Amino acid sequence: MQLTLDRPKLISLAAGFTDNESLPVEETSRMLRLILSNARISRESLQYGSTAGDAVLRKATAERLKKADQPAARYDGNYKSDSVLITHGSQQFLYLMTECLCDAGDIVLVEDPTYFVYLGILQSRGVAARGIRLETDGLDLSDLERVLEDLKEKALLPRVKMLYLVSYFQNPSGVTTSARKKADALALLRRYEKHAGHPIYLLEDAAYRELRFAGDDEPSALTLSRDRVIYTGTYSKPFATGIRVGFGLAPEPLLTVLTRVKGNHDFGTSHLAQHIVRAALHSKAYQKHVGVLRERYAAKAAVLCRALKEFFPPTVNWQVPRGGLYVWAQAPCDTGQKSPLFQRALEKNVLYVPGELCYAEDSTRPIPQNEMRISFGGATETEMTEGVRRLGIALKQLS
Amino acid sequence: MQLTLDRPKLISLAAGFTDNESLPVEETSRMLRLILSNARISRESLQYGSTAGDAVLRKATAERLKKADQPAARYDGNYKSDSVLITHGSQQFLYLMTECLCDAGDIVLVEDPTYFVYLGILQSRGVAARGIRLETDGLDLSDLERVLEDLKEKALLPRVKMLYLVSYFQNPSGVTTSARKKADALALLRRYEKHAGHPIYLLEDAAYRELRFAGDDEPSALTLSRDRVIYTGTYSKPFATGIRVGFGLAPEPLLTVLTRVKGNHDFGTSHLAQHIVRAALHSKAYQKHVGVLRERYAAKAAVLCRALKEFFPPTVNWQVPRGGLYVWAQAPCDTGQKSPLFQRALEKNVLYVPGELCYAEDSTRPIPQNEMRISFGGATETEMTEGVRRLGIALKQLS
């Protein structure tokens, strides 16, 4: 992101920025007029709130999730206001959760590849990561079992605290893990818990769930367990990243501990930002905007795919995305930060995310060196086409 | 805070809420109209920014501080944009700084009494605190020396990372530490550094600096050292706590590390919130509002003091505040959470902060049991008078 902000001529196919043209300027203005013209609400929104978040927004969040998970939402207790913590983006929830659950020396299971900023969180807290292979339809369960068995043999299961899953239109791979696979993964974790001596949680990161433009929604992991699933989502990417409101749900006693830690971090998320989201949900401006965004990203993804087809050599593999912000590609050459491809791309003022950054440091398996994440979020259609054209030239020269 | 939000009939003289009536509803509306009617700025404000914060706001922050510290602002390097990190309230800066600088088992020197949420941060991170006595004009330097000498004898100086000072209208005591005393404290820290083997920083928390309604401003500790002072302040309390924008300044390499940690926590503070503050500073709406608030709090403090004089028994001691949000009082009886006074106050639906909560767990000295923090921030004038009347009855019965 910093590079993008510093070099305005750079075409960034790397940054996780959202589409600039479709940001809800009108909607946000309208919400703010509503909020600030109301004598009571205006003052409330400019004053501190409670640490866990605005009560109305927590309730709306729980209810929306329950509705999204119907008819599979069998555990009422998973969808209570009291289970919801409002955070400064879902990123903050990931941080707080990891702080609460993991000590230095602990282990978190992650997907291979996974959200690289989460790897940064783990590293900063001295927590190790073990990568679990990802298939085109989600987590490779036999690999999960193999890793759990290996950890059991090495008597390391007591250090394993959770499995982190970016389960919808994964960042970076675009892969969605089905509810069936999530259930099987949970059952596997349960099976190994007796050797761990404590619960092994499934932390489901659903940041991209609402950015779906093809196929049907999958029920969340909250439909699968009363006491082993932690879920986080966001109102930022589907509405406005500049507002920065996310949320997470966790079973007790985790949520109480999380709320205390949130109190230490910042006392609670900006009340004004929460009120904007609350008003947008209430007025359906949010839901309408998500609809607009879905069409927008579908169109942008189509432009990107067309460019990939036209300019990339046929030796590069990639999947047509069904949601999210990313296309994940396998090249026939090295794509790393020090590779000729990355350097040549930079010379041509194009940036992508080298796939190697999305893999945990896990000495039990090699890290693929030939992948890249290409975003259709922030760049315009013209920029994407031009960026892919330039990247395609570099790829043809090097592969 | 939670108790206040849950029991609407309670008169809270405890919460650190700001005055509700003077919240800048009109000003915020005006700023938002400016921001959201501008084609470029509106999109910028609704999109991710950079982790360290909006460049214009960082610059304005550095410049305002330099101006406030004139003519003593001799170290230009202390007032650069690059030294500023924008945070989700100054609370978040305190957390990030402590995360960066302290390991579990380390020691931070704090004032006796000090900001109790900071004690919570230290505790949550396994960092010990040593209390330094506070006099009516600030830190007791001979006590600071005594504690440093004690730590040296016990070979604990290598664990001492910083002195945390709430130097303006301290929460909870209302005391301001003069620039002279800050200079002497820094010199003392320097003297003991060779036994520590690393820098011992002065972390100056200036959250209440702008809420001054009597006397002159003191230059900050940034005027005293090029490389040992960390400074944090906020735009929340002097404008709107619901917007939640604070900032901190630190010398390199601390600021780079801090920014990386901030990236892990949340990627950067809400861009919209930063734009509101930026616009308010640029248009001087902020400065004007601070002027209004100063008069408002001066009036509220006067009402509180009048009530204290009228209703409290003369055996209770307290100082007339010159800024901030609090009066600190010494009673002739126990004030703790389990004391008859606190219980009786709760029965009468009045809440204050028991002084004992504001002291570090530090076995080298006893914790005073007879103090209380009374806020003139959130309660209305009528509520304050009535709350103090009820508290006064309880005090007279028990002392």
Side-chain angles (χ1 to χ4, degrees):
Chain A
M1 281 197 185
Q2 197 54 52
L3 198 59
T4 320
L5 292 165
D6 292 346
R7 278 174 69 162
K9 278 187 180 172
L10 190 78
I11 295 181
S12 179
L13 305 173
F17 278 53
T18 51
D19 183 61
N20 224 32
E21 290 308 308
S22 55
L23 285 165
V25 175
E26 279 312 311
E27 293 85 337
T28 306
S29 297
R30 209 163 65 234
M31 296 310 119
L32 283 162
R33 276 199 302 275
L34 281 173
I35 293 164
L36 293 170
S37 65
N38 177 306
R40 189 177 59 80
I41 299 286
S42 61
R43 293 200 146 68
E44 199 179 292
S45 72
L46 294 179
Q47 182 63 276
Y48 285 122
S50 64
T51 303
D54 180 79
V56 175
L57 183 57
R58 291 171 81 195
K59 187 156 180 275
T61 300
E63 285 170 357
R64 289 189 82 234
L65 273 177
K66 188 169 183 176
K67 203 174 147 199
D69 277 348
Q70 290 301 8
R74 78 202 77 180
Y75 302 114
D76 277 344
N78 286 1
Y79 306 93
K80 287 179 313 182
S81 310
D82 286 354
S83 305
V84 179
L85 177 69
I86 304 293
T87 51
H88 194 52
S90 57
Q91 174 77 21
Q92 189 190 35
F93 186 85
L94 293 178
Y95 193 94
L96 294 172
M97 195 64 244
T98 307
E99 176 171 342
C100 285
L101 215 48
C102 300
D103 298 312
D106 279 350
I107 298 167
V108 169
L109 309 177
V110 301
E111 291 156 300
D112 259 350
T114 189
Y115 173 41
F116 57 84
V117 181
Y118 190 64
L119 294 175
I121 292 179
L122 292 178
Q123 200 176 22
S124 78
R125 303 199 59 81
V127 178
R130 281 292 295 267
I132 312 293
R133 258 203 302 270
L134 205 55
E135 303 175 304
T136 50
D137 66 337
L139 207 63
D140 180 338
L141 292 161
S142 62
D143 198 47
L144 175 61
E145 187 167 11
R146 193 187 56 74
V147 170
L148 286 167
E149 198 55 39
D150 181 53
L151 289 164
K152 182 186 153 195
E153 273 169 33
K154 292 176 178 153
L156 285 171
L157 279 176
R159 304 310 311 244
V160 176
K161 296 297 175 64
M162 56 184 172
L163 165 64
Y164 171 66
L165 220 58
V166 188
S167 50
Y168 297 87
F169 318 109
Q170 200 230 26
N171 175 1
S173 70
V175 163
T176 295
T177 294
S178 66
R180 180 72 256 148
K181 279 203 159 182
K182 288 186 278 200
D184 291 347
L186 263 169
L188 264 174
L189 296 179
R190 276 270 192 198
R191 180 134 66 81
Y192 284 85
E193 268 190 9
K194 58 175 175 296
H195 304 285
H198 55 241
I200 302 178
Y201 292 96
L202 171 61
L203 170 53
E204 176 162 50
D205 179 347
Y208 298 91
R209 184 176 187 180
E210 297 201 71
L211 298 183
R212 183 186 82 252
F213 44 77
D216 293 324
D217 189 34
E218 281 287 327
S220 81
L222 290 169
T223 61
L224 304 170
S225 162
R226 251 178 346 167
D227 51 5
R228 289 295 184 271
V229 172
I230 303 157
Y231 180 96
T232 183
T234 185
Y235 293 117
S236 296
K237 282 187 205 293
F239 195 67
T241 47
I243 294 175
R244 305 290 290 127
V245 177
F247 58 87
L249 293 88
E252 286 299 349
L254 284 180
L255 199 89
T256 299
V257 180
L258 273 169
T259 307
R260 207 161 59 217
V261 176
K262 167 89 173 155
N264 284 335
H265 275 238
D266 64 17
F267 253 23
T269 301
S270 159
H271 216 182
L272 182 63
Q274 292 186 69
H275 267 280
I276 296 173
V277 173
R278 169 182 152 172
L281 286 170
H282 183 74
S283 68
K284 310 277 183 213
Y286 178 89
Q287 293 81 336
K288 226 172 120 183
H289 188 69
V290 171
V292 170
L293 273 190
R294 285 180 180 163
E295 285 181 33
R296 177 90 185 151
Y297 286 126
K300 290 185 81 171
V303 167
L304 177 62
C305 289
R306 210 175 308 134
L308 292 172
K309 233 179 253 170
E310 183 172 351
F311 298 117
F312 270 24
T315 46
V316 180
N317 287 318
W318 46 274
Q319 299 279 324
V320 175
R322 303 163 71 84
L325 297 175
Y326 312 107
V327 168
W328 184 242
Q330 283 86 28
C333 63
D334 195 348
T335 57
Q337 276 181 289
K338 288 173 183 161
S339 68
L341 179 70
F342 189 78
Q343 293 309 319
R344 203 161 293 182
L346 260 191
E347 281 160 23
K348 293 176 189 292
N349 258 331
V350 189
L351 194 67
Y352 63 85
V353 173
E356 59 178 9
L357 298 180
C358 307
Y359 285 87
E361 276 184 42
D362 172 353
S363 58
T364 66
R365 55 96 182 95
I367 291 177
Q369 297 296 317
N370 66 325
E371 298 170 319
M372 48 181 136
R373 190 190 81 173
I374 299 169
S375 169
F376 49 90
T380 63
E381 304 193 353
T382 316
E383 286 167 346
M384 281 193 299
T385 304
E386 174 59 16
V388 168
R389 193 187 65 80
R390 294 185 203 165
L391 253 184
I393 296 172
L395 276 164
K396 280 171 190 163
Q397 286 168 344
L398 289 165
S399 56
Chain B
M1 280 198 186
Q2 196 54 51
L3 198 60
T4 320
L5 293 165
D6 292 346
R7 278 175 68 162
K9 277 188 181 170
L10 190 78
I11 295 181
S12 178
L13 305 173
F17 278 52
T18 50
D19 182 59
N20 224 32
E21 290 308 307
S22 54
L23 285 165
V25 175
E26 280 311 311
E27 293 85 338
T28 306
S29 296
R30 209 164 63 237
M31 296 311 118
L32 283 161
R33 276 198 303 273
L34 281 173
I35 293 164
L36 294 169
S37 65
N38 177 306
R40 189 177 59 80
I41 299 286
S42 61
R43 294 199 147 70
E44 199 180 293
S45 73
L46 294 179
Q47 182 62 276
Y48 285 123
S50 65
T51 303
D54 180 78
V56 176
L57 183 57
R58 291 171 81 196
K59 186 155 180 276
T61 301
E63 285 171 357
R64 290 189 80 233
L65 273 178
K66 187 167 184 181
K67 202 173 148 199
D69 277 348
Q70 290 302 7
R74 77 201 80 181
Y75 303 113
D76 276 345
N78 285 0
Y79 305 94
K80 287 180 313 186
S81 310
D82 287 354
S83 305
V84 179
L85 178 70
I86 304 293
T87 51
H88 194 53
S90 57
Q91 174 77 21
Q92 189 189 35
F93 186 86
L94 293 178
Y95 193 92
L96 294 172
M97 195 65 243
T98 307
E99 176 171 343
C100 285
L101 215 49
C102 300
D103 298 311
D106 279 349
I107 298 167
V108 169
L109 309 177
V110 301
E111 292 156 299
D112 259 350
T114 189
Y115 173 42
F116 57 84
V117 181
Y118 189 65
L119 294 175
I121 293 179
L122 292 178
Q123 200 176 23
S124 77
R125 303 199 58 81
V127 177
R130 281 293 295 267
I132 312 292
R133 257 202 305 270
L134 205 53
E135 302 175 304
T136 50
D137 65 338
L139 207 63
D140 180 337
L141 292 162
S142 62
D143 197 47
L144 175 61
E145 187 167 10
R146 194 187 58 73
V147 170
L148 286 166
E149 197 55 41
D150 181 53
L151 290 164
K152 183 185 151 195
E153 274 169 32
K154 292 175 177 153
L156 285 171
L157 280 176
R159 305 307 315 237
V160 176
K161 296 296 175 64
M162 57 183 172
L163 165 64
Y164 171 66
L165 220 58
V166 188
S167 51
Y168 298 88
F169 318 110
Q170 200 231 26
N171 175 2
S173 70
V175 163
T176 296
T177 294
S178 66
R180 181 72 254 149
K181 278 202 159 183
K182 288 186 277 200
D184 291 347
L186 263 169
L188 264 174
L189 296 179
R190 276 269 193 200
R191 178 132 67 81
Y192 283 85
E193 268 190 10
K194 58 175 175 294
H195 305 286
H198 56 240
I200 303 178
Y201 293 96
L202 171 60
L203 169 53
E204 175 162 50
D205 179 347
Y208 299 91
R209 184 176 187 180
E210 297 200 71
L211 298 182
R212 183 186 81 252
F213 45 75
D216 294 323
D217 189 34
E218 282 287 328
S220 80
L222 290 169
T223 62
L224 303 170
S225 162
R226 254 179 342 167
D227 51 5
R228 290 295 184 271
V229 172
I230 303 158
Y231 180 97
T232 182
T234 185
Y235 293 118
S236 296
K237 282 187 205 294
F239 194 67
T241 47
I243 294 175
R244 304 290 288 127
V245 177
F247 57 86
L249 293 87
E252 285 300 348
L254 284 180
L255 199 88
T256 299
V257 180
L258 273 169
T259 307
R260 206 162 58 218
V261 176
K262 167 88 174 156
N264 283 335
H265 275 238
D266 64 17
F267 254 23
T269 301
S270 159
H271 216 182
L272 182 64
Q274 292 187 70
H275 268 281
I276 297 173
V277 173
R278 170 182 151 172
L281 287 170
H282 183 74
S283 67
K284 310 277 181 213
Y286 178 90
Q287 293 82 337
K288 224 172 122 183
H289 188 68
V290 171
V292 170
L293 273 191
R294 284 179 180 165
E295 284 181 33
R296 177 90 184 152
Y297 286 126
K300 289 184 83 171
V303 168
L304 177 61
C305 289
R306 210 174 309 134
L308 292 172
K309 232 179 252 171
E310 184 173 350
F311 299 118
F312 270 25
T315 46
V316 179
N317 287 319
W318 46 273
Q319 300 279 324
V320 175
R322 304 164 70 83
L325 297 175
Y326 312 106
V327 168
W328 184 241
Q330 284 84 29
C333 63
D334 195 347
T335 57
Q337 275 181 289
K338 288 173 181 161
S339 68
L341 180 70
F342 189 79
Q343 293 310 318
R344 204 161 292 182
L346 260 191
E347 282 161 24
K348 293 176 190 292
N349 258 330
V350 189
L351 194 67
Y352 63 84
V353 173
E356 59 178 10
L357 298 180
C358 307
Y359 286 86
E361 276 184 42
D362 171 355
S363 58
T364 67
R365 55 96 183 95
I367 291 177
Q369 296 296 318
N370 66 324
E371 297 170 320
M372 47 181 136
R373 189 190 81 172
I374 299 170
S375 169
F376 49 90
T380 65
E381 305 194 351
T382 315
E383 285 167 346
M384 282 194 296
T385 304
E386 175 59 17
V388 169
R389 192 186 66 80
R390 295 184 203 165
L391 253 183
I393 295 171
L395 275 163
K396 280 171 190 162
Q397 287 167 342
L398 289 164
S399 55

